[in-house]
Amino acid sequence: MKALAVNPKQENSAHVVEIDAPSLDFVPNGRGVLVKTLQVGVDATDAEINEGLYGQAPEGDSFLVLGHEVFGIVEEVGPAVKHLKPGDYCTCTVRRPGPTMYDTIGRNDITSHDEYYERGINLRHGFMTEKFVDDAEFVVKVPVGLKHLGVLSEPVSVCAKAIEQAYLAQTRLQVWNPQLAFVTGAGQIGLLTAMMLRLRGLEVYVLARTPNPGLKEEICEGYGAHYISTQEEEPADLVKRVGNPDLIIEATGSSYVAFNSMQYLNRNGALVWTSVTGGKNTITDFPSDQVNLEWVLGNKLLVGSVNGNRDHFKKGIADLAMAEVMFPGVTQKILTTPIDGFDNPAEIIDKLTNDKSALKVYVNIAEAS
Ligand code: BGC
Ligand code: ZN
């Protein structure tokens, strides 16, 4: 069976490997689910793993199979599996349990262990292959009516967690009722977050560099959000025009933007950082006294959020469904860039890193039969 793999920490090593076909007995106690892979989305994490910035092979292997955003169809289930049956569409969570108490209660997404075990990212093989087996605990059903958006299940789980974390943390304020949100970055995370915040009734401004008019603006408007090109209006000017946001979700991939967005948050506001910045950039010229003062006097909150567990997948998928009712046909516009199979890894990496018009690059691996 073919899979797309990298040699971790080695620059530009994506290549096709031959691996053994999976079998249900890989998972003990009859809890195995055998899945045929239909589509796998790729994102900046895959690009950075291929750049050699991070990523580790499973113990005993020299390569790491890529792919953490999977959409597939169940082919076979073990006798103990109740929530899935052959023919169901599904996705999988990414992180597998480590040894901490968070992991033992199913919160692998907030493990405090030094290592995290993530399929397709760190120490566990990913889904960019023809078939795979996983424990039923990590396989989440995708409703048939969402099969055209199933490949967005993992990204949307990341957004669901980021938003949930803000609301959970803000219970510290007893009566927090956010009205205005900024989302920085208009990649898949930024756009899907905008959609989810609109479903919660917030006024949403998405800030990114790409000039108008364009697809990002079209999608934001489809969700009833506003798209601001920072080449046309500086964040500081936007704040003068519309006020300070109660909630900022940062998803640009730039630590410069992440830190600078601290300047715009409203009193009692929450800022959520979601960018995994694998580089070595440092910022200079940051008004730290002023930001520190305003954050203390304004009781502001910063929370980092990564990954998503089973519940976040379910919430994200539920919001994908609700968005189809509220904003029909908008979300599929994110799916700009399908690639036929993974035989040509260079094409995948090229689309991911050089194609400015690509909002979502994903690989079509098989058709449902
Ligand atoms: C993935 C997350 C993962 C994170 C850190 C992201 O690209 O979507 O599931 O936890 O990278 O590895
Ligand atoms: Zn990702």
Side-chain angles (χ1 to χ4, degrees), residues 163 167 181-183 192-204 247-249 319:
I163 296 170
Y167 276 82
F182 284 6
V183 176
L192 292 169
T193 298
M195 172 272 278
M196 295 167 97
L197 293 174
R198 287 294 301 137
L199 290 178
R200 284 159 184 74
L202 279 85
E203 185 170 8
V204 178
L247 175 62
I248 303 178
I249 311 256
D319 276 6

Side-chain angles (χ1 to χ4, degrees), residues 43 45 68 94-95 116 118 121 154 158 276 306-307:
D43 70 359
T45 296
H68 63 276
V94 175
R95 202 173 274 190
Y116 48 80
E118 288 185 342
I121 300 177
E154 195 279 340
V158 168
V276 180
V306 71
N307 197 249

Side-chain angles (χ1 to χ4, degrees), residues 150-201:
V151 75
L152 293 174
S153 301
E154 195 279 340
V156 95
S157 75
V158 168
C159 309
K161 175 175 174 186
I163 296 170
E164 178 210 60
Q165 293 294 292
Y167 276 82
L168 279 175
Q170 290 293 76
T171 57
R172 73 193 172 111
L173 299 170
Q174 295 177 282
V175 290
W176 193 56
N177 183 20
Q179 305 291 318
L180 179 64
F182 284 6
V183 176
T184 51
Q188 57 174 355
I189 300 297
L191 294 171
L192 292 169
T193 298
M195 172 272 278
M196 295 167 97
L197 293 174
R198 287 294 301 137
L199 290 178
R200 284 159 184 74

